[in-house]
């Protein structure tokens, strides 16, 4: 199994989710290759008080978004796929039309052309018709569009628990298990026919 996975952080609100994803991938034994756009650096600083370099302990490499000749810009650099989290509408538009003017966009373009899994976590509210058209383009091109929609069945007790549930859904798409990910068990029964309680799955 290829353990390399690319994470791209762009300039939309949601940097704490990106941080949780990077940490969870590292905890799952993945080799994280991180690229953060200039806008992503600003939101990471504003929302988490961190710089891209502060995520280095969880990554195999942290790339400058202007370094268009970095390893992840080539299809010959084999990876398991890429996660763009959060994905700004500018980044979504760039991927959708193949406008690879920074390393994140180029890496996403490569992921699509090599038929590897690309998961895009768009962060915008509300969505305009232009945004929806661009997201449809990505879906039709083979990307998985995973909006950061909060699930209530896990009964989160904090914002961090909400974010970590989303992290679990993202990792699921790469057949990876996030630690303490609470799964829905409604309708499942044990060997005696007794209904399983979903809360037991979360403890």
């Amino acid at each position: 199994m290829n353990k390399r996975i690319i994470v791209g952080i762009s300039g939309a609100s949601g940097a704490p989710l990106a941080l949780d994803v990077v940490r969870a991938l590292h905890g799952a034994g993945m080799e994280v290759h991180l690229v953060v756009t200039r806008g992503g650096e600003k939101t990471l600083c504003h929302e988490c008080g961190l710089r891209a370099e502060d995520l280095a302990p969880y990554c195999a490499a942290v790339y400058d978004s202007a370094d268009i000749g970095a390893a992840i810009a080539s299809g010959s650099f084999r990876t398991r796929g890429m996660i763009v989290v959060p994905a700004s509408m500018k980044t979504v538009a760039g991927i959708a039309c193949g406008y690879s003017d920074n390393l994140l966009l180029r890496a996403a373009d490569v992921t699509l052309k090599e038929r590897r899994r690309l998961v895009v976590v768009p962060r915008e509210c509300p969505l305009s018709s232009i945004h929806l058209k661009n997201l449809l383009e990505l879906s039709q091109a083979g990307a998985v569009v995973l909006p950061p929609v909060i699930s209530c069945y896990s009964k989160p007790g904090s914002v961090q628990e909400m974010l970590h549930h989303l992290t679990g859904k993202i990792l699921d798409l790469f057949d990876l298990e996030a630690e303490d990910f609470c799964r829905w068990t409604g309708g499942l029964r044990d060997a005696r026919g007794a209904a399983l309680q979903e809360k037991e799955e979360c403890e």
Side-chain angles (χ1 to χ4, degrees):
M1 180 185 72
N2 193 317
K3 289 186 173 293
R4 289 176 181 164
I5 193 162
I6 303 168
V7 175
I9 302 176
S10 67
S13 182
L17 177 57
L19 177 60
D20 196 64
V21 167
V22 168
R23 286 173 170 168
L25 288 170
H26 175 74
M30 298 301 290
E31 181 184 312
V32 180
H33 291 258
L34 178 68
V35 56
V36 185
T37 66
R38 297 291 181 255
E41 290 176 355
K42 290 182 178 180
T43 53
L44 190 61
C45 177
H46 179 73
E47 296 180 351
C48 302
L50 299 172
R51 301 166 302 168
E53 308 87 77
D54 295 325
L55 276 61
Y58 307 104
C59 303
V62 178
Y63 302 93
D64 187 325
S65 64
D67 185 8
I68 203 70
I72 60 174
S74 173
S76 65
F77 185 78
R78 298 188 66 186
T79 70
R80 194 165 179 178
M82 181 175 181
I83 304 163
V84 183
V85 56
S88 68
M89 291 302 101
K90 177 182 178 180
T91 293
V92 166
I95 300 171
C97 69
Y99 185 65
S100 303
D101 73 336
N102 64 42
L103 183 58
L104 187 156
L105 293 175
R106 172 58 185 169
D109 191 45
V110 166
T111 302
L112 285 176
K113 79 180 182 70
E114 298 293 334
R115 302 295 191 266
R116 297 168 188 158
R117 172 138 291 181
L118 174 64
V119 176
V120 176
V121 185
R123 180 60 181 84
E124 188 60 271
C125 183
L127 293 165
S128 73
S129 295
I130 294 171
H131 302 152
L132 291 168
K133 287 177 182 177
N134 286 333
L135 290 168
L136 178 59
E137 284 284 342
L138 291 185
S139 180
Q140 290 176 334
V144 177
V145 177
L146 192 154
V149 177
I150 300 302
S151 298
C152 296
Y153 62 78
S154 59
K155 300 177 183 177
S158 66
V159 172
Q160 181 55 41
E161 288 182 7
M162 292 180 181
L163 292 174
H164 193 63
H165 189 77
L166 289 166
T167 292
K169 294 173 76 69
I170 292 168
L171 264 64
D172 252 5
L173 293 169
F174 293 89
D175 297 321
L176 298 171
E177 187 74 22
E179 187 177 359
D180 298 325
F181 177 45
C182 180
R183 297 183 179 278
W184 172 250
T185 61
L188 291 179
R189 295 182 178 275
D190 64 18
R192 298 186 302 276
L196 293 172
Q197 298 298 313
E198 63 267 20
K199 185 169 179 54
E200 292 177 358
E201 191 79 6
C202 307
E203 294 175 343

